[in-house]
Amino acid sequence: MEMSFPPFEMLDTSGQPAGISVDLAREMGKYLNRPIRFENIPFDGLIPSLKTGKIDAIISSLTMTDDRKKSIDFSDPYLKMGLAILVRKTSDIQSINDVDKPNHSVAVKKATTGHIYALQHFRNAKLLVLNDESTCSIEVSQGKADCFIYDQLSVFQNWKKFQDTTRAILQPFRQEEWAMGIRKGNDELRRQINEFIANFKSSGGFEALGNKYLGENKKAFEQLGIPFYF
């Protein structure tokens, strides 16, 4: 995982892995009776690391896409998320339909589905491809970008940081599913992981993680009538 995506994947104050995905991985290790070793890898290096055998699984808020399925396998999905927009407060953007204009600049994090969406759908807007989420948000806050396309949770959290200068359009314009990435041909591990996911879900494990890490977000999304993640 790339440990720069709180509260899912991050490092705590002592530099140790923490967050929803870390707790999930540890619970999976217990269930499968296997030791867990965490590797902190840049997001665009995760799939290459999996394919070369450096790691056995990706648990890093990874969206299932048809393109990624060509090179790796996925577990059953464990979370539903949507792409949303963080907008400069004075921008004329009200929905995704307003974004692709010649006078608009769009910040995206490299190799994410927001980046992929922009490449596939935008022909007029200027793309600012950056390496981390915080830089994308700061670009919008400082007026250097009109918007930032990313997942709903991150858009909500970054809007809270920059409420004076940004707006959050949280209703997703595209639904996505997150799953664990597994090397092609490793069918036995995929079977075991899917069994764990089903058991963890039925036993309330995902609900407990949501309450532990995302209580404020969960309440806010319920008030907006937007379905929550797990």
Side-chain angles (χ1 to χ4, degrees):
M1 59 183 66
E2 180 187 47
M3 297 178 191
S4 61
F5 187 53
F8 285 89
E9 302 96 26
M10 56 189 175
L11 297 173
D12 63 17
T13 53
S14 60
Q16 296 302 306
I20 293 172
S21 297
V22 172
D23 287 4
L24 181 63
R26 287 177 173 146
E27 289 299 319
M28 185 173 74
K30 293 176 186 176
Y31 185 86
L32 300 181
N33 195 29
R34 295 178 65 164
I36 296 292
R37 186 183 77 248
F38 294 99
E39 295 281 353
N40 189 4
I41 299 170
F43 193 82
D44 59 358
L46 289 171
I47 289 178
S49 295
L50 180 65
K51 293 172 69 175
T52 58
K54 180 180 180 180
I55 57 176
D56 297 296
I58 300 171
I59 312 178
S60 193
S61 306
L62 185 68
T63 301
M64 286 197 297
T65 68
D66 290 338
D67 188 55
R68 288 171 179 166
K69 286 178 182 178
K70 295 175 183 176
S71 58
I72 66 171
D73 286 336
F74 284 94
S75 71
D76 292 336
Y78 61 86
L79 181 146
K80 291 185 178 180
M81 184 66 75
L83 286 178
I85 317 171
L86 182 73
V87 182
R88 180 168 49 85
K89 199 163 192 175
T90 57
S91 172
D92 59 350
I93 296 172
Q94 300 298 324
S95 75
I96 193 63
N97 298 324
D98 302 323
V99 174
D100 189 26
K101 295 180 179 179
N103 61 329
H104 286 163
S105 57
V106 182
V108 293
K109 181 180 175 181
K110 184 179 179 181
T112 62
T113 52
H115 183 195
I116 294 168
Y117 181 93
L119 288 173
Q120 292 175 341
H121 293 85
F122 297 161
R123 297 292 178 267
N124 300 302
K126 177 184 176 182
L127 288 189
L128 302 176
V129 182
L130 304 168
N131 288 323
D132 61 84
E133 170 191 342
S134 60
T135 304
C136 292
S137 301
I138 290 170
E139 291 290 292
V140 176
S141 174
Q142 294 180 347
K144 298 175 183 177
D146 292 277
C147 68
F148 170 33
I149 296 177
Y150 212 35
D151 68 272
Q152 293 165 282
L153 174 61
S154 299
V155 167
F156 179 76
Q157 291 180 324
N158 283 291
W159 167 74
K160 288 196 298 182
K161 294 178 186 176
F162 304 110
Q163 292 186 43
D164 291 340
T165 53
T166 66
R167 291 183 285 114
I169 303 175
L170 293 174
Q171 192 67 43
F173 61 87
R174 169 174 282 190
Q175 292 284 356
E176 301 178 333
E177 292 181 317
W178 291 1
M180 302 184 194
I182 305 156
R183 194 160 46 253
K184 277 195 175 295
N186 202 347
D187 296 334
E188 178 59 20
L189 180 59
R190 182 168 65 167
R191 183 194 66 77
Q192 293 174 358
I193 288 176
N194 285 341
E195 184 180 278
F196 160 72
I197 290 173
N199 180 273
F200 195 66
K201 183 176 182 179
S202 65
S203 64
F206 286 111
E207 183 73 17
L209 287 178
N211 291 335
K212 177 181 178 180
Y213 287 97
L214 301 167
E216 180 185 357
N217 305 82
K218 187 174 182 179
K219 182 178 180 181
F221 274 59
E222 288 172 349
Q223 290 174 344
L224 292 170
I226 300 173
F228 195 63
Y229 319 108
F230 293 116

